[in-house]
Amino acid sequence: MTQRSRRFRRTAIAVLGVSSLVLAACGGDDDEPADEPAEAEEPTEEPAEEPAEEPAEEPAEDAVEEPAEEPTEEPAEGETVQIALVAPSAINDLAFTQSMYDSLERVAETRDISIDVSDGLFVVEDAGAAIRGYAEDGYDLVIAHGTQFGGPLAEIAPDFPEVSFMWGTSADTQGLDNVFAYTVRSDEGGYVNGMLAAQITESGTIGVVGPIDAGDAALYVDGFEAGAAAQDPAVTVNVNWIESFSDVALAAEAATSHISNGADVLTGTAQMVVGATGVAQQEGVPWFGTQSNQTPLGEDIVVASQVYHWEVVLEPILDQIAAGTLGGEVYTLTLENGGLVIEFNDAFGLDEAILAAAEETIAALTSGELTTGL
Amino acid sequence: MSDFFTMSVIVATLASGIRLATPFLLAALGETVGQRSGVLNLGVEGVMLIGAFVAYYTTLKTDSTALSIFLSLAAGVVMGLLYAFITLVMHAEQGISGIGIYLFGLGITDLLFQKQVGTPLPIGGLGTVEIPLLADIPWIGEVFFQHSVLVYTAFLLVPVVWFVINRTTFGLNIRAVGETPEAADTLGVSVNLTRTWTILIGNGLAGLAGGALALELGIFQQNLTSGRGFIAIALVYFGAWRPVGVMFGALLFGIVSATVNQWKTLGIIEGAASSLASMAPAVLTIVVLVLVSRRIDPPSALTRPFDRSA
């Protein structure tokens, strides 16, 4: 083989390799769904290697910007707060990640914040690299949105005492002063959904498709079972933990399995449920959603969704950061504080009496008159 | 446990196993053809993802299942042309090139999905085709004759691929270039042309396998295949490079997965046992792989590039 052809060969292979890596990186980093109108506060396209405005704690390199004598720990008043979101699935997954992204956008309507996103990071090591990268870039707040990111965060957060981190769902700050933990009483919405499902089922069997028996997923399922049992103790709730947050095909097969075993109402949690909702749609089986409003996954079958409003957590955390406190507290979404909202799908045509009973249950859980028992 | 041993549950489990086996079977049959000619393609997973996205997007935009199936296969063939160029013309190392193709498929489908679709909108699935008369046979009908068209296609391809490899001149050429490409070349067989065809067939079937998965589910999501392409490659070794063996491997994997799934649904296994049970199909495959690899040798020229001037 001639030297020229060898050179050409190496060049071609290098081009392919680089393009593969670039595409893989671009695929994992997205900004805004194509089918949504641009918001006034548009997030920047990619995780910024150089933030649009240098955070206060980083000495400014540009001579025009006067460097602060002492690095300040919180953003100065009137300065854009730079927030980075690191998430395991896409920002439009109609589930866990979208719930946080939507909440950030709602916060952006009233606060001067910038949002950069690294989504689709199912691999924990990749997420860890992204978290560290944002911290190195001097972001004011880095959100590690996934229980599974706790390990890398415990190693990264101590290296950046001037950066504030948010981690959830978890009720543990890992003893770190610059980590806020956030969690959700997903059992409350689960209870309402379970109570509703027990009234809708005709076969007396309900199927649940869960990812891994942990975190807010486990709490939602426990609440769902408690609600169904409280409504009708004779109802059977079959739970299938597929042991994956991402395997859509396995979620679909779990839903099929539930239906073949007599289930005529389904629910599920986490981003892989799109497989299960597909089966529910094909079979015409009612579906109860959680995390985000899942009505777009099946306008005919989705009865109601428990929606996470993380702005209830984000607002006080941003206030704390502005006041100089970078972590050490735990925040929880509940029906009572407005962090959890049950959104009904009007197109489903839920019976008025059942709807009224659900509203009563929500009111009782909100006031504390009723508890899930968990 | 007694709930599982009812006829209706067993029938549902077997039918589910056949459904789950289909993407594995399509991709593994294609990879079998490629490996018999001496070409290892670790990019099956990436090609499956591309096929899946093409099928999903085509259905979303045109509502035509037939066009979706055709285009998923065509997308695989295009990726095959790329892989053939890299490995046969540029003589790049097959393993690394395959990983490059995988990363390319993972990245580009994620990117296109986010830019062109965004929120995962459901599409109409493939639907069930009931074979007249046979579908009405109690139990057997539900297990074997109430599936989508791609399930039947996958299983019908098993004898077709067997026939092509073992009973045609083209198949003889495939086996020859996979064992001793130098000897085949001296007999006038074009090694690279033969391998180009097997790569196109293999990648086409991988694209179709991805299309089958997306159309069966009626949805697309990032990394939809979740490692199924890599399992398909393992099944080629499991099946000792023979179509029938590959089919039994895919069926075993699918049925074990379906059984574990049913046991979870029925509450027969729960808690920590549930996590362990999820590993059962993979563990079983590894065990059989170890047993098979001690008795049967792979094609002699597997992963070995052919350079006439060398």
Side-chain angles (χ1 to χ4, degrees):
Chain A
M1 186 176 288
T2 65
Q3 197 174 355
R4 191 178 165 190
S5 69
R6 276 198 203 99
R7 202 161 46 232
F8 175 61
R9 198 178 83 185
R10 278 200 295 269
T11 307
I13 293 168
V15 167
L16 176 74
V18 169
S19 63
S20 302
L21 294 173
V22 167
L23 283 165
C26 289
D29 271 345
D30 205 68
D31 42 358
E32 194 163 12
D35 54 352
E36 286 182 8
E39 297 289 330
E41 284 279 341
E42 183 144 352
T44 47
E45 289 275 323
E46 291 175 15
E49 289 177 19
E50 293 174 22
E53 292 178 37
E54 206 69 27
E57 62 266 30
E58 292 246 325
E61 290 176 16
D62 192 330
V64 178
E65 291 180 29
E66 193 66 30
E69 284 183 10
E70 291 287 331
T72 54
E73 288 194 340
E74 67 278 0
E77 195 172 340
E79 192 175 344
T80 301
V81 179
Q82 293 186 311
I83 300 175
L85 170 63
V86 177
S89 52
I91 55 170
N92 41 25
D93 64 354
L94 289 173
F96 187 61
T97 300
Q98 182 163 348
S99 68
M100 179 57 83
Y101 184 74
D102 287 350
S103 298
L104 282 166
E105 288 213 309
R106 285 190 286 268
V107 170
E109 290 170 5
T110 55
R111 284 180 181 261
D112 186 13
I113 63 170
S114 70
I115 309 162
D116 286 313
V117 179
S118 284
D119 61 348
L121 298 179
F122 284 109
V123 180
V124 174
E125 288 76 13
D126 293 346
I131 293 166
R132 183 174 287 280
Y134 284 123
E136 284 172 347
D137 287 342
Y139 277 69
D140 300 306
L141 175 62
V142 180
I143 305 173
H145 193 50
T147 310
Q148 66 272 36
F149 300 157
L153 189 66
E155 293 177 10
I156 296 166
D159 296 342
F160 301 93
E162 75 285 6
V163 176
S164 179
F165 296 88
M166 262 176 77
W167 172 50
T169 56
S170 171
D172 180 12
T173 63
Q174 308 197 56
L176 296 167
D177 293 337
N178 60 336
V179 173
F180 290 107
Y182 58 93
T183 187
V184 52
R185 285 298 304 267
S186 51
D187 57 313
E188 294 185 345
Y191 188 96
V192 177
N193 280 354
M195 184 271 288
L196 280 165
Q199 293 177 79
I200 288 175
T201 179
E202 291 176 4
S203 68
T205 303
I206 301 167
V208 181
V209 180
I212 291 169
D213 191 2
D216 68 315
L219 203 52
Y220 171 76
V221 174
D222 289 345
F224 187 92
E225 289 182 291
Q231 180 66 37
D232 184 355
V235 164
T236 301
V237 179
N238 291 327
V239 183
N240 187 333
W241 298 104
I242 68 166
E243 307 300 331
S244 169
F245 283 98
S246 58
D247 198 328
V248 176
L250 213 51
E253 212 52 43
T256 305
S257 169
H258 277 309
I259 293 170
S260 71
N261 284 296
D264 62 352
V265 178
L266 294 174
T267 188
T269 177
Q271 48 273 26
M272 80 302 163
V273 294
V274 291
T277 55
V279 172
Q281 175 88 335
Q282 284 171 20
E283 301 293 330
V285 171
W287 173 267
F288 287 89
T290 185
Q291 298 181 328
S292 279
N293 188 331
Q294 294 179 337
T295 301
L297 290 172
E299 301 214 342
D300 302 330
I301 56 153
V302 175
V303 184
S305 301
Q306 169 177 238
V307 182
Y308 295 176
H309 284 262
W310 294 111
E311 59 269 31
V312 169
V313 164
L314 287 162
E315 295 280 2
I317 286 177
L318 289 172
D319 288 342
Q320 292 260 42
I321 293 172
T325 303
L326 300 184
E329 290 190 32
V330 179
Y331 292 88
T332 305
L333 298 187
T334 64
L335 282 171
E336 189 271 328
N337 66 20
L340 293 177
V341 176
I342 309 297
E343 296 184 8
F344 294 93
N345 174 21
D346 294 336
F348 181 79
L350 190 63
D351 183 85
E352 288 294 329
I354 297 175
L355 184 60
E359 299 284 8
E360 277 180 27
T361 305
I362 293 167
L365 284 167
T366 304
S367 66
E369 183 186 330
L370 176 68
T371 63
T372 63
L374 297 168
Chain B
M1 181 60 94
S2 61
D3 289 346
F4 181 72
F5 291 105
T6 59
M7 208 57 199
S8 62
V9 174
I10 290 173
V11 164
T13 305
L14 292 174
S16 168
I18 288 172
R19 263 196 315 275
L20 286 171
T22 299
F24 296 122
L25 182 56
L26 282 168
L29 282 175
E31 181 65 9
T32 301
V33 175
Q35 290 200 15
R36 288 298 291 264
S37 73
V39 179
L40 170 71
N41 181 9
L42 290 179
V44 171
E45 175 86 355
V47 180
M48 281 180 74
L49 278 167
I50 290 172
F53 176 75
V54 167
Y56 170 78
Y57 190 67
T58 306
T59 306
L60 194 65
K61 293 298 176 189
T62 67
D63 213 19
S64 169
T65 307
L67 184 63
S68 304
I69 292 171
F70 172 75
L71 288 182
S72 66
L73 193 142
V77 170
V78 170
M79 291 305 296
L81 284 171
L82 177 65
Y83 190 65
F85 176 75
I86 294 167
T87 56
L88 302 181
V89 179
M90 311 308 292
H91 297 288
E93 208 279 323
Q94 291 176 9
I96 302 300
S97 309
I99 291 169
I101 293 283
Y102 160 59
L103 288 173
F104 178 82
L106 180 67
I108 199 165
T109 52
D110 191 3
L111 183 67
L112 289 173
F113 179 67
Q114 290 298 329
K115 295 297 179 192
Q116 299 299 320
V117 184
T119 296
L121 302 170
I123 56 172
L126 275 173
T128 300
V129 177
E130 297 193 0
I131 307 295
L133 300 177
L134 296 174
D136 298 329
I137 302 172
W139 302 327
I140 292 173
E142 191 181 336
V143 173
F144 295 108
F145 303 113
Q146 296 181 19
H147 291 288
S148 71
V149 66
L150 285 178
V151 174
Y152 301 127
T153 304
F155 283 88
L156 286 174
L157 276 174
V158 174
V160 171
V161 171
W162 177 87
F163 183 81
V164 168
I165 290 177
N166 296 296
R167 292 287 185 271
T168 65
T169 306
F170 178 56
L172 183 63
N173 291 346
I174 290 174
R175 285 181 283 141
V177 302
E179 295 294 340
T180 50
E182 294 79 9
D185 183 55
T186 57
L187 292 171
V189 176
S190 171
V191 174
N192 280 349
L193 183 62
T194 304
R195 286 182 171 177
T196 300
W197 278 113
T198 61
I199 289 172
L200 296 185
I201 292 168
N203 279 266
L205 287 178
L208 188 62
L213 189 63
L215 293 172
E216 189 80 48
L217 294 170
I219 201 79
F220 184 87
Q221 204 184 47
Q222 294 166 300
N223 195 22
L224 181 82
T225 48
S226 294
R228 283 170 174 75
F230 294 110
I231 294 168
I233 295 169
L235 290 175
V236 176
Y237 288 75
F238 181 108
W241 296 271
R242 288 162 176 76
V244 176
V246 167
M247 180 189 74
F248 281 120
L251 276 174
L252 181 66
F253 198 92
I255 289 171
V256 171
S257 299
T259 304
V260 169
N261 189 34
Q262 282 285 4
W263 285 359
K264 287 182 185 178
T265 300
L266 294 169
I268 295 169
I269 45 175
E270 42 192 345
S274 173
S275 310
L276 288 172
S278 297
M279 292 187 273
V283 171
L284 193 64
T285 305
I286 291 167
V287 169
V288 178
L289 261 176
V290 169
L291 296 176
V292 167
S293 65
R294 295 174 65 163
R295 288 185 298 144
I296 299 172
D297 293 327
S300 302
L302 185 61
T303 74
R304 192 149 54 86
F306 176 72
D307 187 352
R308 203 175 197 184
S309 61

